[in-house]
Amino acid sequence: MANTSAPFGFRQYSGTGSAPTYEQVAVTIAYNATNIFYGDPVEPDANGLIVQGDGTTAAAGIAGVFVGAQYLSVAQKRTVWSNYWPGSDVSSANTVIGYIINDPNAKFLVQTGSTGATQSTINLNAGYTIGSGNTANGISAAFLDVTSAATTNTLAFRVVGLVTEPPGSAGTESGAYNYVIVGFNNVTTKNQTGI
């Protein structure tokens, strides 16, 4: 059974915390920016805010992986807890709180693109492609860009394993769109370069 292209972003696999919250930390999201979906890698901007990652990683690294937001909705006239940030829906005077996982020991399950990962991809670093998230359920469409896999130290993630079990299930076949386990390679919590 061939793997299907159905990216879901970076899904928490393990870490030093415990399920369901693991090691989430609160951050401030840039007001009136692009959508940020559950499982999207996020980056710090020059104003100390968090924005959706663009697939490239600055020398300072990525801020982490987005897992939700809290904001006072203008449309709904109440505080909203959501697994994604719709980009705008607050007064410019209000703050949007986002929740990210930035623990340097965290591991994530992620799908690869049309170039799947192989055994030789393990221990290489790789970038990501952000994709178009789903506004109906808030889930990311980000996936690991294995074509960028290299020893380059500024790439955002390190491949630590392939998912091969249980046989015949989604993402376990070798080749395109297979699942891998990654850890942070270039995250701001373990990087000494500022922005």
Side-chain angles (χ1 to χ4, degrees):
M1 174 177 156
N3 300 318
T4 303
S5 176
F8 48 82
F10 290 77
R11 187 176 297 159
Q12 181 85 38
Y13 181 77
S14 68
T16 51
S18 60
T21 58
Y22 287 95
E23 48 283 316
Q24 294 178 16
V25 296
V27 294
T28 305
I29 298 176
Y31 165 75
N32 210 17
T34 187
N35 298 354
I36 307 176
F37 295 91
Y38 183 93
D40 275 350
V42 290
E43 299 175 351
D45 72 7
N47 300 313
L49 303 171
I50 298 300
V51 296
Q52 182 188 53
D54 61 6
T56 63
T57 306
I62 62 171
V65 172
F66 183 81
V67 290
Q70 171 196 355
Y71 57 94
L72 181 59
S73 168
V74 171
Q76 299 180 44
K77 298 185 179 25
R78 65 180 180 89
T79 299
V80 173
W81 294 80
S82 177
N83 67 335
Y84 93 104
W85 164 237
S88 63
D89 186 18
V90 296
S91 163
S92 60
N94 291 336
T95 300
V96 180
I97 302 298
Y99 297 94
I100 65 170
I101 296 168
N102 66 357
D103 174 38
N105 298 316
K107 302 290 184 280
F108 300 91
L109 174 69
V110 64
Q111 186 172 50
T112 63
S114 58
T115 301
T118 62
Q119 191 68 29
S120 63
T121 311
I122 294 175
N123 294 321
L124 290 178
N125 302 328
Y128 61 93
T129 299
I130 205 66
S132 296
N134 185 327
T135 57
N137 63 19
I139 303 297
S140 171
F143 60 90
L144 194 71
D145 180 9
V146 178
T147 61
S148 69
T151 57
T152 309
N153 65 353
T154 56
L155 292 170
F157 296 96
R158 168 147 319 161
V159 179
V160 296
L162 303 175
V163 176
T164 59
E165 299 291 332
S169 63
T172 61
E173 298 296 318
S174 62
Y177 313 118
N178 62 339
Y179 293 174
V180 295
I181 306 299
V182 299
F184 287 123
N185 177 60
N186 189 14
V187 64
T188 57
T189 51
K190 68 177 188 179
N191 192 321
Q192 298 177 3
T193 304
I195 58 171

